[in-house]
């Protein structure tokens, strides 16, 4: 099976601010009269980590510039619209784009205005006959100790716009500094509102963080790679059919794993835990969903059956309706077994 020509990819873990391509960044800067007189190579240094990135802290500095550009309704609408158009051209049939509304209020926007601007951009893509991509928006709460009100507002907004473009909530940020348990009450409210929950866990902290996230109602786990260190946690993931949103290149960048060879994807699969493959931050990590699969295939034996299973896992785990999932499964079958042959 040739990755390149497939048009049935799914990405469930993709951050908007870390995934803006250079040309969109240049466009947003021009619209805001921010001078960007530099070469593409120089701009890349601002937006993308080198292969030998030091750690998560260096990784996180790459969000500064795109976030600065994404503080107006116009810029937010433009950024999600342009990104989804790009993803459609890259062969994605479905994706869930996440972002933290509270990081886009620096110029006075309310979180609700931020969310509404993003949903307008999403609607523009879905209404266009040019694009077939389907998408949902995940609102991220941020780990921290002085943003409780902002996090609560995010959860309430996720409840208000659930099914109207928003499909879930997440917890992102410095996992090692702010333990997952600290946010139990916040996610209690998300459960009350019946919002599907995914939580970044087991990336910069251990398996216990994954266990806490599951106990707090997460039905998917962002990364989760350290769960491999605790059989009990693996059993928990299996028991509740909780899927991991793996993001291999990002985990290499932040040194969550030392090398791709050490990446525990096969161990998870062998232990019966279902995994999905995702990009995390396309621009910061200089990746695409195709590249993620290609890199994995260079190191691991991912035969056609497993490849198909990984695509099916993403569909199963998606925060969308059964009707949409059925369409996505049909598209996988068409792409893998009919259309792709002629390409
Ligand atoms: Zn992430």
């Amino acid at each position: 099976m040739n990755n390149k020509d497939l048009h049935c990819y799914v990405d469930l873990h993709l951050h908007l601010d870390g995934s803006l391509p250079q040309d969109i960044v240049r466009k947003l800067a021009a619209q805001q009269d921010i001078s960007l007189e530099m070469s593409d190579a120089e701009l890349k240094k601002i937006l993308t980590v080198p292969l030998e990135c030091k750690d998560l802290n260096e990784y996180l500095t790459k969000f500064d510039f795109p976030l600065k550009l994404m503080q107006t309704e116009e810029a937010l609408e433009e950024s999600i619209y342009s990104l989804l158009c790009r993803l459609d051209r890259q062969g994605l049939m479905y994706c869930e784009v996440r972002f933290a509304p509270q990081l886009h209020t620096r110029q006075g926007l309310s979180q609700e205005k931020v969310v509404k601007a993003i949903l307008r951009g999403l609607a523009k893509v879905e209404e266009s006959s040019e694009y077939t991509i389907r998408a949902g928006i995940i609102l991220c709460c941020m780990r921290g100790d002085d943003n409780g009100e902002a996090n609560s507002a995010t959860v309430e907004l996720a409840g208000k716009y659930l099914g109207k473009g928003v499909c879930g909530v997440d917890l992102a940020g410095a996992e090692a500094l702010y333990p997952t348990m600290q946010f139990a009450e916040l996610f209690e409210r998300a459960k009350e509102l019946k919002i599907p929950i995914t939580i970044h866990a087991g990336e910069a902290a251990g398996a216990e963080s994954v266990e806490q996230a599951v106990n707090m109602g997460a039905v998917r786990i962002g990364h989760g790679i350290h769960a491999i260190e605790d059989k009990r946690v693996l059993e928990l993931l299996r028991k509740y059919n909780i899927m991991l949103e793996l993001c291999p290149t990002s985990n290499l960048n932040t040194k969550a794993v030392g090398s791709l060879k050490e990446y525990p994807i096969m161990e998870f699969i062998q232990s019966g835990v279902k995994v999905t493959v995702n990009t995390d931050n396309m621009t910061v990590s200089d990746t695409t969903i195709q590249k993620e699969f290609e890199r994995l295939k260079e190191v691991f034996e991912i035969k056609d059956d497993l490849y198909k299973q990984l695509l099916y896992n993403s569909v199963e785990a998606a925060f969308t309706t059964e009707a949409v999932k059925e369409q996505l499964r049909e598209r996988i079958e068409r792409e893998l077994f009919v259309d792709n042959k002629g390409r």
Side-chain angles (χ1 to χ4, degrees), residues 100-299:
Q102 63 190 272
L103 299 182
H104 301 271
T105 57
R106 290 181 204 160
Q107 284 176 27
L109 289 181
S110 64
Q111 286 199 43
E112 183 156 19
K113 282 208 159 136
V114 170
V115 171
K116 284 169 94 170
I118 292 289
L119 296 183
R120 280 198 298 277
L122 168 67
K124 223 164 97 184
V125 177
E126 296 202 318
E127 284 159 12
S128 161
S129 56
E130 213 179 313
Y131 305 106
T132 56
I133 191 167
R134 306 286 296 257
I137 304 294
I138 294 175
L139 302 187
C140 301
C141 298
M142 294 302 296
R143 292 176 192 264
D145 48 18
D146 59 356
N147 62 335
E149 263 178 49
N151 280 340
S152 295
T154 303
V155 169
E156 295 303 321
L157 279 171
K160 183 169 175 184
Y161 291 96
L162 187 66
K164 299 174 182 126
V166 172
C167 65
V169 280
D170 176 29
L171 178 62
E175 186 189 6
L177 293 180
Y178 305 102
T180 303
M181 266 316 281
Q182 213 172 302
F183 305 88
E185 210 176 301
L186 184 66
F187 285 89
E188 206 44 55
R189 177 64 181 148
K191 271 196 290 188
E192 248 173 55
L193 293 169
K194 299 195 166 35
I195 309 166
I197 298 169
T198 176
I199 290 179
H200 280 74
E203 177 191 18
E208 76 289 345
S209 180
V210 176
E211 183 177 13
Q212 289 163 8
V214 172
N215 289 336
M216 280 157 49
V219 293
R220 290 189 338 223
I221 299 291
H223 304 286
I225 54 169
H226 289 295
I228 203 68
E229 292 154 13
D230 190 331
K231 283 203 173 105
R232 226 171 26 85
V233 178
L234 289 176
E235 176 56 33
L236 195 66
L237 295 173
R238 261 195 312 266
K239 185 174 164 196
Y240 295 108
N241 195 26
I242 289 170
M243 280 202 222
L244 302 182
E245 304 160 358
L246 298 181
C247 310
T249 304
S250 165
N251 290 159
L252 285 176
N253 290 150
T254 61
K255 304 274 195 288
V257 286
S259 71
L260 205 50
K261 278 200 186 94
E262 297 163 47
Y263 203 65
I265 182 167
M266 289 309 194
E267 283 95 322
F268 280 123
I269 293 168
Q270 279 148 15
S271 69
V273 171
K274 288 189 190 167
V275 301
T276 63
V277 176
N278 310 277
T279 57
D280 207 11
N281 295 288
M282 288 167 50
T283 305
V284 179
S285 289
D286 194 14
T287 193
T288 62
I289 192 71
Q290 289 180 353
K291 280 192 198 168
E292 293 298 318
F293 277 108
E294 278 161 20
R295 284 172 185 152
L296 287 173
K297 282 180 167 184
E298 278 170 21
V299 178

Side-chain angles (χ1 to χ4, degrees), residues 1-2 5-6 334-343:
M1 249 175 251
N2 182 0
D5 296 327
L6 287 181
R334 265 205 319 273
E335 288 283 333
L336 293 186
F337 300 110
V338 184
D339 288 2
N340 202 37
K341 284 181 188 150
R343 285 187 190 136

